[in-house]
């Protein structure tokens, strides 16, 4: 097994340990696109683990995130990243410590685009750590959900175009990311409150957040409706269907069961869009 195959296997193993939502759709992508999307996902997950780390002080999180932002687009990034991470090696999640590997996984022709998104998101995450994730208005919520998810929708849109010329609506792509993130906000509300954070704007209750989430998911539905049949459509349809299912369960005071997840995934992976 050569180095590329080893790295691809490591990436799939890491996906299996970090995301049940994205492992299956990424594995369903064709070669080339699979490595690009896996690289992008793991790069974003690497910095997300820093932002959400329970044992790192805010100033350390900000230092690491701004450091990553300033390093990843440099030619000598791997050495610099290891130097940045070394003092925290025993604390950081492996997905973060191996950020350089996930970058190396990406096809060279699209690496710069993935690196730009990673740098931008790391900088914006550092900003939100500094603000203690204080969201006062809907505009704040829009900015936060763009920073951590809407921008990912834009990146995916660029990956689709790079791979086979597929054109998609960038505004709807942002809503696709926002909708998924808004569902996560609803699902994680209790846990966020325990750590003193609320992503609900001032004066908002569940009704307002549900309205915001459904508005974005409606746009997300329109986003994938424009996609041609094939691996890109299947990739987008799985997390979106899981988001709809999770939201429906949450509004009924329940959680989406693993059996429900597998039913949704099975239905979609065997689905041929006409």
């Amino acid at each position: 097994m050569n180095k590329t195959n080893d790295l691809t296997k490591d990436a799939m193993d890491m996906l299996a340990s970090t995301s049940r939502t994205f492992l299956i759709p990424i594995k369903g992508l064709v070669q080339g696109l699979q490595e690009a999307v896996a690289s992008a996902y793991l790069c974003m997950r690497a910095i997300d683990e820093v932002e959400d780390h329970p044992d790192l002080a805010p100033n350390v999180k900000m230092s690491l995130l701004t450091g990553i932002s300033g390093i990843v687009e440099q030619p000598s990034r791997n050495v610099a990243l290891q130097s940045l991470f070394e003092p925290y090696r025993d604390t950081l999640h492996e997905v973060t410590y191996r950020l350089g590997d996930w970058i190396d996984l990406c096809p060279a022709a699209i690496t710069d685009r993935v690196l730009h998104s990673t740098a931008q998101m790391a900088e914006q995450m550092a900003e939100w750590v500094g603000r203690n994730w204080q969201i006062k208005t809907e505009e704040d919520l829009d900015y936060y959900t763009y920073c951590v998810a809407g921008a990912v929708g834009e990146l995916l849109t660029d990956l689709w175009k790079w791979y086979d010329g597929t054109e998609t609506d960038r505004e709807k792509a942002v809503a696709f990311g926002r909708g998924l993130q808004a569902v996560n906000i609803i699902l994680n509300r209790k846990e966020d409150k325990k750590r003193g954070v609320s992503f609900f704007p001032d004066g908002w209750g569940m009704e307002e957040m549900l309205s915001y989430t459904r508005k974005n998911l409606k746009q997300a539905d329109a986003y994938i409706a424009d996609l041609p049949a094939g691996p890109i459509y299947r990739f987008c349809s799985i997390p979106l269907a899981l988001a709809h299912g999770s939201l429906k369960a949450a509004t009924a005071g329940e959680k989406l069961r693993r059996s429900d997840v597998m039913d949704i995934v099975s239905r979609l992976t065997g689905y041929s869009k006409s």
Side-chain angles (χ1 to χ4, degrees), residues 122-135:
E123 181 179 2
Q124 290 169 337
M125 283 182 173
E127 176 188 346
W128 280 104
V129 172
R131 293 173 61 171
N132 194 32
W133 301 278
Q134 292 297 309
I135 290 178

Side-chain angles (χ1 to χ4, degrees), residues 36-202:
V37 176
S39 170
Y41 175 82
L42 289 171
C43 285
M44 303 308 172
R45 186 64 185 239
I47 59 177
D48 185 62
E49 288 288 343
V50 175
E51 183 194 15
D52 292 339
H53 203 292
D55 299 324
L56 292 175
N59 64 309
V60 174
K61 291 182 179 184
M62 293 171 68
S63 177
L64 286 170
L65 289 166
T66 55
I68 292 168
S69 180
I71 288 170
V72 291
E73 294 183 277
Q74 297 177 6
S76 58
R77 59 182 167 266
N78 284 4
V79 172
L81 285 171
Q82 290 305 302
S83 178
L84 177 69
F85 295 151
E86 188 58 36
Y88 310 98
R89 181 167 186 167
D90 293 337
T91 304
L92 293 172
H93 193 290
E94 184 184 358
V95 72
T96 302
Y97 191 76
R98 295 189 63 186
L99 175 57
D101 286 338
W102 316 138
I103 295 170
D104 290 342
L105 176 67
C106 193
I110 197 63
T111 297
D112 285 350
R113 178 65 181 90
V114 172
L115 292 178
H116 180 72
S117 285
T118 304
Q120 181 182 51
M121 185 176 291
E123 181 179 2
Q124 290 169 337
M125 283 182 173
E127 176 188 346
W128 280 104
V129 172
R131 293 173 61 171
N132 194 32
W133 301 278
Q134 292 297 309
I135 290 178
K136 302 296 185 183
T137 65
E138 184 172 354
E139 289 73 22
D140 289 340
L141 179 60
D142 271 342
Y143 180 50
Y144 175 75
T145 54
Y146 172 78
C147 291
V148 301
V152 179
E154 290 183 321
L155 172 59
L156 289 173
T157 285
D158 289 339
L159 292 180
W160 310 150
K161 185 174 182 180
W162 159 76
Y163 180 71
D164 65 2
T166 295
E167 296 275 3
T168 52
D169 187 301
R170 297 183 75 81
E171 185 175 339
K172 292 176 183 175
V174 170
F176 174 78
R178 275 200 176 117
L180 301 187
Q181 185 64 30
V183 172
N184 286 336
I185 287 172
I186 290 171
L187 297 180
N188 297 330
R189 189 182 190 189
K190 289 182 180 179
E191 289 75 11
D192 289 333
K193 277 189 173 182
K194 289 179 182 178
R195 63 189 182 100
V197 173
S198 175
F199 295 100
F200 282 52
D202 289 349

